[in-house]
Amino acid sequence: MLRALVTLLVTVWVAPAMADTVVVRIGSRLVMGDIRVEFPDGHNQVVGPGSVQQLVLPPGSTVSLAEGETRTYEGELHVRERDGVTEAWLEIPLEAYLAGVVLSEIGANAPRAALEAQAVVSRTLVAHGKDRHPEGPWHLCDL
């Protein structure tokens, strides 16, 4: 176990420099109109045919998908139609992404050492996951 943790730490420290932004795909099998955004000030916007294809999401914005998923995001939401399929992705600051992933994976009540280990794992996955999705502009998926 300790050897695996040390290997992860070394992998992170020798990883090439990371960008400040991560591009994450959200949802799958979407159709236009499936995405509803609730902004922190309380107003809502549905992304549908002919609507805005790029939205800036301030921290605390909630994105709901027709598939039943609701997540809180910040960053730039992009939506496009390609080959009859709606694709959505988010450009999010790296540190905001990592904070959200760590909390959703392990929970805020986990011991500090566990949170730190999860952060190392999450950062490693971001650093080495850049080539996993050549079909889109995103690096990772949040499904």
Side-chain angles (χ1 to χ4, degrees):
M1 177 77 166
L2 181 59
R3 182 181 175 100
L5 182 58
V6 170
T7 301
L8 284 174
L9 287 170
V10 169
T11 301
V12 169
W13 289 114
V14 299
M18 295 173 58
D20 293 336
T21 303
V22 177
V23 183
V24 182
R25 178 180 179 198
I26 59 173
S28 62
R29 298 184 203 95
L30 300 172
V31 295
M32 287 302 249
D34 279 355
I35 303 168
R36 185 176 60 80
V37 178
E38 183 176 333
F39 294 91
D41 65 6
H43 85 276
N44 296 318
Q45 182 163 349
V46 175
V47 178
S51 67
V52 176
Q53 302 299 304
Q54 181 176 336
L55 293 173
V56 175
L57 305 178
S61 297
T62 302
V63 177
S64 300
L65 306 175
E67 327 175 306
E69 288 289 324
T70 299
R71 303 274 174 106
T72 301
Y73 293 116
E74 68 179 88
E76 276 188 29
L77 175 66
H78 299 264
V79 181
R80 74 175 179 198
E81 285 283 333
R82 187 174 73 158
D83 299 327
V85 175
T86 299
E87 298 174 329
W89 65 93
L90 186 73
E91 292 183 39
I92 184 170
L94 175 62
E95 295 305 320
Y97 173 77
L98 291 172
V101 167
V102 168
L103 292 177
S104 70
E105 292 291 333
I106 199 166
N109 294 325
R112 181 176 173 90
L115 291 168
E116 291 171 354
Q118 182 63 50
V120 169
V121 170
S122 298
R123 189 176 294 273
T124 301
L125 288 173
V126 169
H128 295 286
K130 299 275 184 177
D131 298 326
R132 291 182 59 195
H133 298 282
E135 74 280 4
W138 47 83
H139 305 134
L140 305 165
C141 290
D142 180 18
L143 301 173

